[in-house]
Amino acid sequence: MNHPLILGIETSCDETAAAVVTRTENAEPAILSNVVLSQIEEHAAFGGVVPEIAARAHVEALDGVVRAALIEATVTVDALDAVAATVGPGLVGGLMVGAMTGKAIAAARDLPFIGVNHLEGHALTPRLSHGLAYPYLLLLVSGGHSQILLVKGLGTYERWGTTIDDALGEAFDKTAKLLELPHPGGPNVERMAAAGDPKRFSLPRPMKGEARLDFSFSGLKTALRLAAEDAAPLSEQDVSDLCASFQAAAAETVADRIGRALVRFRALYPDQAEPVLGVAGGVGANSRIRAALSAECAKAGARLVAPPLALCSDNAAMIAYAGLERFEAGLTDPLDTPIRSRWPLDRDAAPLVGHGRRGAKA
Ligand code: KG4
Ligand code: ZN
């Protein structure tokens, strides 16, 4: 049987990405190409993503990135069965560039178009990387989101927890900025933390022990700032110790929330012998957080599925894969599908006060 061949396009933030995904003869997901062009250098001087610069960079790069993805997959546009592009949530300028390009290719070749929710791309990544069966729990921790989701099936998600203030990646980025480490913060905080003492500064574990499954990171960020001010002027060792202490607090908080979510999952699906926790989003690359999650899963008799780092951070393979599942389910979209800067996966989840102030990154 010939499986559908899907081109995916991702431009919702600061990565210009295109990928081609299909299935093997055994129906397992197959990534034929996954091209990601990061704009980190364009934004570095500003300490964060500048929307206008991002949109212009997508315009300049996307044609070439799509071409590279097709060449690497050794396919032509004529071989495609559908084109999937991220249509939300994210930065409007970038979304417009990706959606218009995807729609133009679809219109020119008379192919179906699929408008993908970027968060669905992250949510389905453990199926792309490990062929996970529904249902499973997902921890999505990126620059714009910290969510615990129940992934019940394609298009059916329950948000069990979210952040009431900063996203975890945002907290890492702000910590880095405060300590004058380069953007993006997460990897640099992790690098410095490797040589640090995680016990030197005692920082809070926000929400730890609370029954609701939400996160809060702004108190931790403030505590870190105060600790840094107390210790100033900071030596390199001080910075390492602050990073290690911050990372330990973040990991412990996340593990606590996940421990509770796994209990709830077990109660809901008592017949599932081994509950599964999937991780997605850039912060999922952090090895200290992965270790804490792995310990928590071991305690709960659950399995941790952490996709390869390249699939944790923003990429187009996850968009193409979400497009593939949608295409197989007969879910395609008209060419006038709008882009949406905000687009929660769980329509029934009430927005939390203070959540989504940044909102741009997903
Ligand atoms: O998923 P992602 O690539 O982009 C979106 O936000 O959609 O996530 C980027 C975020 C940034 O905040 C970055 O600092 C964080 O993930 N991050 C990390 C690590 N690598 C990336 N945070 C902690 N440790 C890391 N190793
Ligand atoms: Zn993302």
Side-chain angles (χ1 to χ4, degrees):
M1 178 190 167
N2 270 348
H3 292 288
L5 192 66
I6 312 288
L7 170 69
I9 294 174
E10 158 61 36
T11 54
S12 68
C13 194
D14 56 347
E15 263 92 28
T16 311
V20 178
V21 164
T22 184
R23 292 192 187 276
T24 62
E25 277 176 20
N26 307 330
E28 282 156 12
I31 300 173
L32 301 187
S33 63
N34 187 18
V35 179
V36 181
L37 186 72
S38 173
Q39 302 176 0
I40 283 178
E41 282 177 14
E42 267 95 337
H43 301 283
F46 305 94
V49 178
V50 184
E52 179 65 22
I53 293 177
R56 285 167 188 256
H58 287 308
V59 172
E60 278 171 27
L62 188 55
D63 286 4
V65 168
V66 168
R67 192 175 307 121
L70 292 170
I71 291 171
E72 199 179 308
T74 59
V75 299
T76 61
V77 178
D78 294 313
L80 297 172
D81 291 288
V83 182
T86 304
V87 295
L91 297 169
V92 171
L95 290 171
M96 278 169 52
V97 175
M100 288 307 293
T101 303
K103 288 173 180 181
I105 297 171
R109 299 297 163 126
D110 205 15
L111 294 170
F113 174 75
I114 302 155
V116 173
N117 182 319
H118 178 87
L119 300 175
E120 181 166 82
H122 279 306
L124 300 186
T125 298
R127 288 174 59 74
L128 166 63
S129 62
H130 289 72
L132 272 196
Y134 295 119
Y136 55 91
L137 262 188
L138 184 91
L139 173 68
L140 169 59
V141 272
S142 67
H145 291 272
S146 302
Q147 302 191 352
I148 299 175
L149 288 166
L150 170 64
V151 182
K152 283 169 136 172
L154 179 64
T156 39
Y157 312 97
E158 273 178 29
R159 198 188 71 197
W160 282 5
T162 187
T163 178
I164 58 174
D165 39 59
D166 293 348
L168 184 52
E170 191 177 2
F172 266 94
D173 293 341
K174 286 178 176 170
T175 295
K177 206 168 181 175
L178 180 91
L179 299 174
E180 295 178 358
L181 300 173
H183 172 82
N188 287 304
V189 170
E190 179 169 16
R191 184 175 49 81
M192 292 303 287
D197 173 5
K199 297 211 172 91
R200 167 146 169 228
F201 297 96
S202 89
L203 299 173
R205 271 66 174 152
M207 309 295 280
K208 191 175 172 191
E210 286 200 27
R212 60 191 275 210
L213 293 175
D214 295 315
F215 298 97
S216 167
F217 294 109
S218 84
L220 173 57
K221 181 189 63 189
T222 307
L224 180 103
R225 181 171 53 76
L226 296 175
E229 282 169 9
D230 266 359
L234 299 177
S235 67
E236 191 164 325
Q237 190 59 49
D238 292 333
V239 171
S240 280
D241 292 345
L242 283 162
C243 287
S245 302
F246 168 82
Q247 203 174 249
E252 200 178 312
T253 304
V254 171
D256 171 75
R257 316 282 68 216
I258 286 302
R260 283 173 180 269
L262 286 168
V263 170
R264 187 163 155 190
F265 186 92
R266 262 208 192 284
L268 197 61
Y269 299 102
D271 297 336
Q272 192 164 325
E274 193 184 42
V276 181
L277 172 72
V279 185
V283 188
N286 186 286
S287 51
R288 180 75 184 71
I289 288 178
R290 283 189 179 209
L293 291 173
S294 162
E296 201 61 38
C297 284
K299 238 195 292 173
R303 180 176 151 221
L304 176 69
V305 168
L309 303 188
L311 295 179
C312 272
S313 51
D314 285 352
N315 65 87
M318 69 180 191
I319 303 304
Y321 179 72
L324 174 69
E325 284 209 20
R326 290 196 159 264
F327 182 78
E328 288 169 335
L331 300 169
T332 61
D333 298 296
L335 285 179
D336 61 357
T337 298
I339 57 153
R340 302 170 66 172
S341 60
R342 289 183 174 259
W343 187 7
L345 267 188
D346 177 351
R347 269 161 300 174
D348 300 329
L352 288 187
V353 178
H355 167 65
R357 272 179 295 132
R358 178 171 164 203
K361 273 204 124 187

mmCIF file with all atom_site columns, all heavy atoms in Angstrom, residues 10 12-13 15 118-119 122 140 142-145 281-282 312-315 318 361-362, ligand 2:
data_model
loop_
_atom_site.group_PDB
_atom_site.id
_atom_site.type_symbol
_atom_site.label_atom_id
_atom_site.label_alt_id
_atom_site.label_comp_id
_atom_site.label_asym_id
_atom_site.label_entity_id
_atom_site.label_seq_id
_atom_site.pdbx_PDB_ins_code
_atom_site.Cartn_x
_atom_site.Cartn_y
_atom_site.Cartn_z
_atom_site.occupancy
_atom_site.B_iso_or_equiv
_atom_site.pdbx_formal_charge
_atom_site.auth_seq_id
_atom_site.auth_comp_id
_atom_site.auth_asym_id
_atom_site.auth_atom_id
_atom_site.pdbx_PDB_model_num
ATOM   1   N  N   . GLU A 1 10  ? 6.674  24.925 8.846  1.00 0.00 ? 10  GLU A N   1
ATOM   2   C  CA  . GLU A 1 10  ? 6.564  25.515 10.187 1.00 0.00 ? 10  GLU A CA  1
ATOM   3   C  C   . GLU A 1 10  ? 7.265  26.871 10.217 1.00 0.00 ? 10  GLU A C   1
ATOM   4   O  O   . GLU A 1 10  ? 8.461  26.958 9.929  1.00 0.00 ? 10  GLU A O   1
ATOM   5   C  CB  . GLU A 1 10  ? 7.195  24.548 11.214 1.00 0.00 ? 10  GLU A CB  1
ATOM   6   C  CG  . GLU A 1 10  ? 7.642  25.161 12.524 1.00 0.00 ? 10  GLU A CG  1
ATOM   7   C  CD  . GLU A 1 10  ? 6.524  25.803 13.339 1.00 0.00 ? 10  GLU A CD  1
ATOM   8   O  OE1 . GLU A 1 10  ? 5.389  25.280 13.339 1.00 0.00 ? 10  GLU A OE1 1
ATOM   9   O  OE2 . GLU A 1 10  ? 6.779  26.844 13.967 1.00 0.00 ? 10  GLU A OE2 1
ATOM   10  N  N   . SER A 1 12  ? 5.995  29.413 12.831 1.00 0.00 ? 12  SER A N   1
ATOM   11  C  CA  . SER A 1 12  ? 5.212  30.150 13.833 1.00 0.00 ? 12  SER A CA  1
ATOM   12  C  C   . SER A 1 12  ? 6.062  30.995 14.766 1.00 0.00 ? 12  SER A C   1
ATOM   13  O  O   . SER A 1 12  ? 5.557  31.880 15.440 1.00 0.00 ? 12  SER A O   1
ATOM   14  C  CB  . SER A 1 12  ? 4.369  29.179 14.654 1.00 0.00 ? 12  SER A CB  1
ATOM   15  O  OG  . SER A 1 12  ? 5.197  28.369 15.453 1.00 0.00 ? 12  SER A OG  1
ATOM   16  N  N   . CYS A 1 13  ? 7.357  30.723 14.809 1.00 0.00 ? 13  CYS A N   1
ATOM   17  C  CA  . CYS A 1 13  ? 8.201  31.542 15.696 1.00 0.00 ? 13  CYS A CA  1
ATOM   18  C  C   . CYS A 1 13  ? 9.518  31.887 15.002 1.00 0.00 ? 13  CYS A C   1
ATOM   19  O  O   . CYS A 1 13  ? 9.509  32.583 14.001 1.00 0.00 ? 13  CYS A O   1
ATOM   20  C  CB  . CYS A 1 13  ? 8.397  30.835 17.024 1.00 0.00 ? 13  CYS A CB  1
ATOM   21  S  SG  . CYS A 1 13  ? 9.053  31.970 18.253 1.00 0.00 ? 13  CYS A SG  1
ATOM   22  N  N   . GLU A 1 15  ? 11.938 29.623 13.852 1.00 0.00 ? 15  GLU A N   1
ATOM   23  C  CA  . GLU A 1 15  ? 12.553 28.590 13.028 1.00 0.00 ? 15  GLU A CA  1
ATOM   24  C  C   . GLU A 1 15  ? 11.800 28.520 11.702 1.00 0.00 ? 15  GLU A C   1
ATOM   25  O  O   . GLU A 1 15  ? 10.576 28.424 11.695 1.00 0.00 ? 15  GLU A O   1
ATOM   26  C  CB  . GLU A 1 15  ? 12.445 27.214 13.697 1.00 0.00 ? 15  GLU A CB  1
ATOM   27  C  CG  . GLU A 1 15  ? 13.679 26.816 14.466 1.00 0.00 ? 15  GLU A CG  1
ATOM   28  C  CD  . GLU A 1 15  ? 13.619 27.227 15.917 1.00 0.00 ? 15  GLU A CD  1
ATOM   29  O  OE1 . GLU A 1 15  ? 12.486 27.310 16.433 1.00 0.00 ? 15  GLU A OE1 1
ATOM   30  O  OE2 . GLU A 1 15  ? 14.673 27.491 16.510 1.00 0.00 ? 15  GLU A OE2 1
ATOM   31  N  N   . HIS A 1 118 ? 0.094  24.209 15.852 1.00 0.00 ? 118 HIS A N   1
ATOM   32  C  CA  . HIS A 1 118 ? 1.479  23.949 16.262 1.00 0.00 ? 118 HIS A CA  1
ATOM   33  C  C   . HIS A 1 118 ? 1.542  23.066 17.520 1.00 0.00 ? 118 HIS A C   1
ATOM   34  O  O   . HIS A 1 118 ? 2.388  22.175 17.633 1.00 0.00 ? 118 HIS A O   1
ATOM   35  C  CB  . HIS A 1 118 ? 2.150  25.303 16.517 1.00 0.00 ? 118 HIS A CB  1
ATOM   36  C  CG  . HIS A 1 118 ? 3.553  25.244 16.994 1.00 0.00 ? 118 HIS A CG  1
ATOM   37  N  ND1 . HIS A 1 118 ? 4.629  25.179 16.138 1.00 0.00 ? 118 HIS A ND1 1
ATOM   38  C  CD2 . HIS A 1 118 ? 4.067  25.232 18.236 1.00 0.00 ? 118 HIS A CD2 1
ATOM   39  C  CE1 . HIS A 1 118 ? 5.746  25.136 16.850 1.00 0.00 ? 118 HIS A CE1 1
ATOM   40  N  NE2 . HIS A 1 118 ? 5.428  25.161 18.134 1.00 0.00 ? 118 HIS A NE2 1
ATOM   41  N  N   . LEU A 1 119 ? 0.615  23.297 18.441 1.00 0.00 ? 119 LEU A N   1
ATOM   42  C  CA  . LEU A 1 119 ? 0.609  22.521 19.690 1.00 0.00 ? 119 LEU A CA  1
ATOM   43  C  C   . LEU A 1 119 ? 0.242  21.071 19.424 1.00 0.00 ? 119 LEU A C   1
ATOM   44  O  O   . LEU A 1 119 ? 0.702  20.163 20.114 1.00 0.00 ? 119 LEU A O   1
ATOM   45  C  CB  . LEU A 1 119 ? -0.381 23.132 20.693 1.00 0.00 ? 119 LEU A CB  1
ATOM   46  C  CG  . LEU A 1 119 ? -0.083 24.577 21.086 1.00 0.00 ? 119 LEU A CG  1
ATOM   47  C  CD1 . LEU A 1 119 ? -1.193 25.121 21.972 1.00 0.00 ? 119 LEU A CD1 1
ATOM   48  C  CD2 . LEU A 1 119 ? 1.258  24.657 21.798 1.00 0.00 ? 119 LEU A CD2 1
ATOM   49  N  N   . HIS A 1 122 ? 3.381  19.339 18.466 1.00 0.00 ? 122 HIS A N   1
ATOM   50  C  CA  . HIS A 1 122 ? 4.147  18.914 19.649 1.00 0.00 ? 122 HIS A CA  1
ATOM   51  C  C   . HIS A 1 122 ? 3.465  17.711 20.315 1.00 0.00 ? 122 HIS A C   1
ATOM   52  O  O   . HIS A 1 122 ? 4.132  16.758 20.729 1.00 0.00 ? 122 HIS A O   1
ATOM   53  C  CB  . HIS A 1 122 ? 4.231  20.051 20.666 1.00 0.00 ? 122 HIS A CB  1
ATOM   54  C  CG  . HIS A 1 122 ? 5.280  21.083 20.376 1.00 0.00 ? 122 HIS A CG  1
ATOM   55  N  ND1 . HIS A 1 122 ? 6.603  20.772 20.178 1.00 0.00 ? 122 HIS A ND1 1
ATOM   56  C  CD2 . HIS A 1 122 ? 5.202  22.438 20.277 1.00 0.00 ? 122 HIS A CD2 1
ATOM   57  C  CE1 . HIS A 1 122 ? 7.300  21.895 19.960 1.00 0.00 ? 122 HIS A CE1 1
ATOM   58  N  NE2 . HIS A 1 122 ? 6.464  22.914 20.014 1.00 0.00 ? 122 HIS A NE2 1
ATOM   59  N  N   . LEU A 1 140 ? 4.188  19.384 27.815 1.00 0.00 ? 140 LEU A N   1
ATOM   60  C  CA  . LEU A 1 140 ? 4.682  20.297 26.788 1.00 0.00 ? 140 LEU A CA  1
ATOM   61  C  C   . LEU A 1 140 ? 5.343  21.487 27.475 1.00 0.00 ? 140 LEU A C   1
ATOM   62  O  O   . LEU A 1 140 ? 4.664  22.269 28.148 1.00 0.00 ? 140 LEU A O   1
ATOM   63  C  CB  . LEU A 1 140 ? 3.517  20.761 25.904 1.00 0.00 ? 140 LEU A CB  1
ATOM   64  C  CG  . LEU A 1 140 ? 3.816  21.911 24.939 1.00 0.00 ? 140 LEU A CG  1
ATOM   65  C  CD1 . LEU A 1 140 ? 4.939  21.553 23.978 1.00 0.00 ? 140 LEU A CD1 1
ATOM   66  C  CD2 . LEU A 1 140 ? 2.562  22.300 24.160 1.00 0.00 ? 140 LEU A CD2 1
ATOM   67  N  N   . SER A 1 142 ? 7.779  24.555 26.562 1.00 0.00 ? 142 SER A N   1
ATOM   68  C  CA  . SER A 1 142 ? 8.509  25.289 25.533 1.00 0.00 ? 142 SER A CA  1
ATOM   69  C  C   . SER A 1 142 ? 8.669  26.734 25.966 1.00 0.00 ? 142 SER A C   1
ATOM   70  O  O   . SER A 1 142 ? 8.460  27.076 27.132 1.00 0.00 ? 142 SER A O   1
ATOM   71  C  CB  . SER A 1 142 ? 7.759  25.193 24.206 1.00 0.00 ? 142 SER A CB  1
ATOM   72  O  OG  . SER A 1 142 ? 6.540  25.895 24.306 1.00 0.00 ? 142 SER A OG  1
ATOM   73  N  N   . GLY A 1 143 ? 9.018  27.601 24.998 1.00 0.00 ? 143 GLY A N   1
ATOM   74  C  CA  . GLY A 1 143 ? 9.214  29.008 25.335 1.00 0.00 ? 143 GLY A CA  1
ATOM   75  C  C   . GLY A 1 143 ? 7.905  29.714 25.658 1.00 0.00 ? 143 GLY A C   1
ATOM   76  O  O   . GLY A 1 143 ? 7.893  30.717 26.363 1.00 0.00 ? 143 GLY A O   1
ATOM   77  N  N   . GLY A 1 144 ? 6.805  29.197 25.148 1.00 0.00 ? 144 GLY A N   1
ATOM   78  C  CA  . GLY A 1 144 ? 5.521  29.867 25.366 1.00 0.00 ? 144 GLY A CA  1
ATOM   79  C  C   . GLY A 1 144 ? 4.520  29.043 26.157 1.00 0.00 ? 144 GLY A C   1
ATOM   80  O  O   . GLY A 1 144 ? 3.451  29.541 26.510 1.00 0.00 ? 144 GLY A O   1
ATOM   81  N  N   . HIS A 1 145 ? 4.823  27.762 26.398 1.00 0.00 ? 145 HIS A N   1
ATOM   82  C  CA  . HIS A 1 145 ? 3.839  26.901 27.050 1.00 0.00 ? 145 HIS A CA  1
ATOM   83  C  C   . HIS A 1 145 ? 4.447  25.985 28.085 1.00 0.00 ? 145 HIS A C   1
ATOM   84  O  O   . HIS A 1 145 ? 5.562  25.498 27.917 1.00 0.00 ? 145 HIS A O   1
ATOM   85  C  CB  . HIS A 1 145 ? 3.124  26.025 26.006 1.00 0.00 ? 145 HIS A CB  1
ATOM   86  C  CG  . HIS A 1 145 ? 2.228  26.821 25.120 1.00 0.00 ? 145 HIS A CG  1
ATOM   87  N  ND1 . HIS A 1 145 ? 0.918  27.077 25.431 1.00 0.00 ? 145 HIS A ND1 1
ATOM   88  C  CD2 . HIS A 1 145 ? 2.468  27.463 23.967 1.00 0.00 ? 145 HIS A CD2 1
ATOM   89  C  CE1 . HIS A 1 145 ? 0.396  27.832 24.491 1.00 0.00 ? 145 HIS A CE1 1
ATOM   90  N  NE2 . HIS A 1 145 ? 1.308  28.085 23.582 1.00 0.00 ? 145 HIS A NE2 1
ATOM   91  N  N   . GLY A 1 281 ? 8.528  19.952 23.337 1.00 0.00 ? 281 GLY A N   1
ATOM   92  C  CA  . GLY A 1 281 ? 8.921  21.340 23.562 1.00 0.00 ? 281 GLY A CA  1
ATOM   93  C  C   . GLY A 1 281 ? 10.401 21.437 23.877 1.00 0.00 ? 281 GLY A C   1
ATOM   94  O  O   . GLY A 1 281 ? 11.011 20.483 24.366 1.00 0.00 ? 281 GLY A O   1
ATOM   95  N  N   . GLY A 1 282 ? 10.955 22.615 23.616 1.00 0.00 ? 282 GLY A N   1
ATOM   96  C  CA  . GLY A 1 282 ? 12.396 22.812 23.724 1.00 0.00 ? 282 GLY A CA  1
ATOM   97  C  C   . GLY A 1 282 ? 12.979 22.469 25.086 1.00 0.00 ? 282 GLY A C   1
ATOM   98  O  O   . GLY A 1 282 ? 14.087 21.937 25.175 1.00 0.00 ? 282 GLY A O   1
ATOM   99  N  N   . CYS A 1 312 ? 12.044 17.594 19.676 1.00 0.00 ? 312 CYS A N   1
ATOM   100 C  CA  . CYS A 1 312 ? 11.476 18.289 20.849 1.00 0.00 ? 312 CYS A CA  1
ATOM   101 C  C   . CYS A 1 312 ? 11.305 19.767 20.558 1.00 0.00 ? 312 CYS A C   1
ATOM   102 O  O   . CYS A 1 312 ? 10.294 20.371 20.886 1.00 0.00 ? 312 CYS A O   1
ATOM   103 C  CB  . CYS A 1 312 ? 12.392 18.136 22.060 1.00 0.00 ? 312 CYS A CB  1
ATOM   104 S  SG  . CYS A 1 312 ? 12.041 16.669 23.012 1.00 0.00 ? 312 CYS A SG  1
ATOM   105 N  N   . SER A 1 313 ? 12.328 20.376 19.957 1.00 0.00 ? 313 SER A N   1
ATOM   106 C  CA  . SER A 1 313 ? 12.208 21.803 19.668 1.00 0.00 ? 313 SER A CA  1
ATOM   107 C  C   . SER A 1 313 ? 11.448 21.968 18.346 1.00 0.00 ? 313 SER A C   1
ATOM   108 O  O   . SER A 1 313 ? 11.126 20.990 17.676 1.00 0.00 ? 313 SER A O   1
ATOM   109 C  CB  . SER A 1 313 ? 13.584 22.448 19.621 1.00 0.00 ? 313 SER A CB  1
ATOM   110 O  OG  . SER A 1 313 ? 14.398 21.712 18.771 1.00 0.00 ? 313 SER A OG  1
ATOM   111 N  N   . ASP A 1 314 ? 11.162 23.221 18.000 1.00 0.00 ? 314 ASP A N   1
ATOM   112 C  CA  . ASP A 1 314 ? 10.299 23.458 16.834 1.00 0.00 ? 314 ASP A CA  1
ATOM   113 C  C   . ASP A 1 314 ? 10.894 22.883 15.550 1.00 0.00 ? 314 ASP A C   1
ATOM   114 O  O   . ASP A 1 314 ? 12.076 23.070 15.266 1.00 0.00 ? 314 ASP A O   1
ATOM   115 C  CB  . ASP A 1 314 ? 10.051 24.956 16.677 1.00 0.00 ? 314 ASP A CB  1
ATOM   116 C  CG  . ASP A 1 314 ? 9.066  25.453 17.722 1.00 0.00 ? 314 ASP A CG  1
ATOM   117 O  OD1 . ASP A 1 314 ? 8.486  24.611 18.436 1.00 0.00 ? 314 ASP A OD1 1
ATOM   118 O  OD2 . ASP A 1 314 ? 8.868  26.672 17.810 1.00 0.00 ? 314 ASP A OD2 1
ATOM   119 N  N   . ASN A 1 315 ? 10.050 22.217 14.792 1.00 0.00 ? 315 ASN A N   1
ATOM   120 C  CA  . ASN A 1 315 ? 10.483 21.574 13.549 1.00 0.00 ? 315 ASN A CA  1
ATOM   121 C  C   . ASN A 1 315 ? 9.260  21.358 12.669 1.00 0.00 ? 315 ASN A C   1
ATOM   122 O  O   . ASN A 1 315 ? 8.122  21.512 13.128 1.00 0.00 ? 315 ASN A O   1
ATOM   123 C  CB  . ASN A 1 315 ? 11.166 20.233 13.879 1.00 0.00 ? 315 ASN A CB  1
ATOM   124 C  CG  . ASN A 1 315 ? 10.199 19.241 14.491 1.00 0.00 ? 315 ASN A CG  1
ATOM   125 O  OD1 . ASN A 1 315 ? 9.515  18.505 13.788 1.00 0.00 ? 315 ASN A OD1 1
ATOM   126 N  ND2 . ASN A 1 315 ? 10.086 19.223 15.816 1.00 0.00 ? 315 ASN A ND2 1
ATOM   127 N  N   . MET A 1 318 ? 7.092  17.439 12.761 1.00 0.00 ? 318 MET A N   1
ATOM   128 C  CA  . MET A 1 318 ? 5.918  17.252 13.614 1.00 0.00 ? 318 MET A CA  1
ATOM   129 C  C   . MET A 1 318 ? 4.654  17.842 12.957 1.00 0.00 ? 318 MET A C   1
ATOM   130 O  O   . MET A 1 318 ? 3.555  17.331 13.153 1.00 0.00 ? 318 MET A O   1
ATOM   131 C  CB  . MET A 1 318 ? 6.143  17.860 15.014 1.00 0.00 ? 318 MET A CB  1
ATOM   132 C  CG  . MET A 1 318 ? 6.220  19.375 15.048 1.00 0.00 ? 318 MET A CG  1
ATOM   133 S  SD  . MET A 1 318 ? 6.491  19.955 16.757 1.00 0.00 ? 318 MET A SD  1
ATOM   134 C  CE  . MET A 1 318 ? 6.217  21.731 16.548 1.00 0.00 ? 318 MET A CE  1
ATOM   135 N  N   . LYS A 1 361 ? 5.334  32.684 21.565 1.00 0.00 ? 361 LYS A N   1
ATOM   136 C  CA  . LYS A 1 361 ? 5.982  31.408 21.266 1.00 0.00 ? 361 LYS A CA  1
ATOM   137 C  C   . LYS A 1 361 ? 5.075  30.271 21.653 1.00 0.00 ? 361 LYS A C   1
ATOM   138 O  O   . LYS A 1 361 ? 4.327  30.371 22.612 1.00 0.00 ? 361 LYS A O   1
ATOM   139 C  CB  . LYS A 1 361 ? 7.275  31.292 22.061 1.00 0.00 ? 361 LYS A CB  1
ATOM   140 C  CG  . LYS A 1 361 ? 8.450  31.909 21.348 1.00 0.00 ? 361 LYS A CG  1
ATOM   141 C  CD  . LYS A 1 361 ? 9.716  31.273 21.846 1.00 0.00 ? 361 LYS A CD  1
ATOM   142 C  CE  . LYS A 1 361 ? 10.532 30.693 20.724 1.00 0.00 ? 361 LYS A CE  1
ATOM   143 N  NZ  . LYS A 1 361 ? 11.666 29.928 21.206 1.00 0.00 ? 361 LYS A NZ  1
ATOM   144 N  N   . ALA A 1 362 ? 5.168  29.195 20.911 1.00 0.00 ? 362 ALA A N   1
ATOM   145 C  CA  . ALA A 1 362 ? 4.336  28.051 21.281 1.00 0.00 ? 362 ALA A CA  1
ATOM   146 C  C   . ALA A 1 362 ? 5.217  26.881 21.555 1.00 0.00 ? 362 ALA A C   1
ATOM   147 O  O   . ALA A 1 362 ? 5.576  26.137 20.746 1.00 0.00 ? 362 ALA A O   1
ATOM   148 C  CB  . ALA A 1 362 ? 3.337  27.766 20.184 1.00 0.00 ? 362 ALA A CB  1
HETATM 149 ZN ZN  . ZN  B 2 .   ? 6.887  24.955 19.791 1.00 0.00 ? 2   ZN  B ZN  1
#
